[in-house]
Amino acid sequence: MREDEEGVRAAYAVTLTQEAEVVYRGIPSKYDFAKVDKMLLILDTLPEIGRVYDPDYEAMRLPFEVRVAYAGRYGVYYTVDEEERQVIVFAIEDQRRNPLNRFYGVYPHEA
């Protein structure tokens, strides 16, 4: 948690990639949408709330470090740019999907 000179918690800008925005807007359940929406609001002051994403399957690994915060049955996958004070959400995934297809269409996997 970072604070400004007066000791007030400084906010981060939360940005969704186009792919994350499409999934976010398409969440069919009001309950699930509310959970994800609340998590996105929390990330602006507590980006460390998510844990470092460390999957068991090689097919699910990414070539860069990301964090994941769970909101209901959705995972919010993001990176934090401390210098720019920005949280970049690059994927919002329904965790019921096949884990070997995680990030399909969001991040290119080698065949």
Side-chain angles (χ1 to χ4, degrees), residues 2-105:
R2 298 191 55 181
E3 297 178 351
D4 65 14
E5 294 80 28
E6 289 81 38
V8 176
R9 204 181 282 175
Y12 289 70
V14 177
T15 305
L16 278 66
T17 63
Q18 184 177 2
E19 293 84 359
E21 181 79 25
V22 168
V23 172
Y24 172 65
R25 298 286 175 206
I27 295 173
S29 159
K30 287 182 181 181
Y31 174 80
D32 289 327
F33 182 86
K35 289 275 197 183
V36 171
D37 194 52
K38 184 175 182 179
M39 182 56 68
L40 294 175
L41 291 173
I42 291 170
L43 287 175
D44 79 344
T45 52
L46 293 171
E48 68 275 4
I49 195 168
R51 64 179 176 84
V52 173
Y53 177 64
D54 184 23
D56 292 331
Y57 300 105
E58 187 63 35
M60 297 166 43
R61 292 191 189 280
L62 295 167
F64 51 91
E65 184 176 290
V66 299
R67 299 183 78 81
V68 60
Y70 296 101
R73 63 179 179 224
Y74 285 84
V76 178
Y77 296 85
Y78 64 96
T79 60
V80 179
D81 183 338
E82 290 290 344
E83 194 170 298
E84 297 294 323
R85 308 224 14 97
Q86 186 173 29
V87 173
I88 301 120
V89 177
F90 76 92
I92 298 173
E93 293 261 341
D94 186 333
Q95 299 301 290
R96 299 172 301 168
R97 291 182 52 182
N98 181 345
L100 297 177
N101 289 332
R102 183 139 307 139
F103 310 120
Y104 181 78

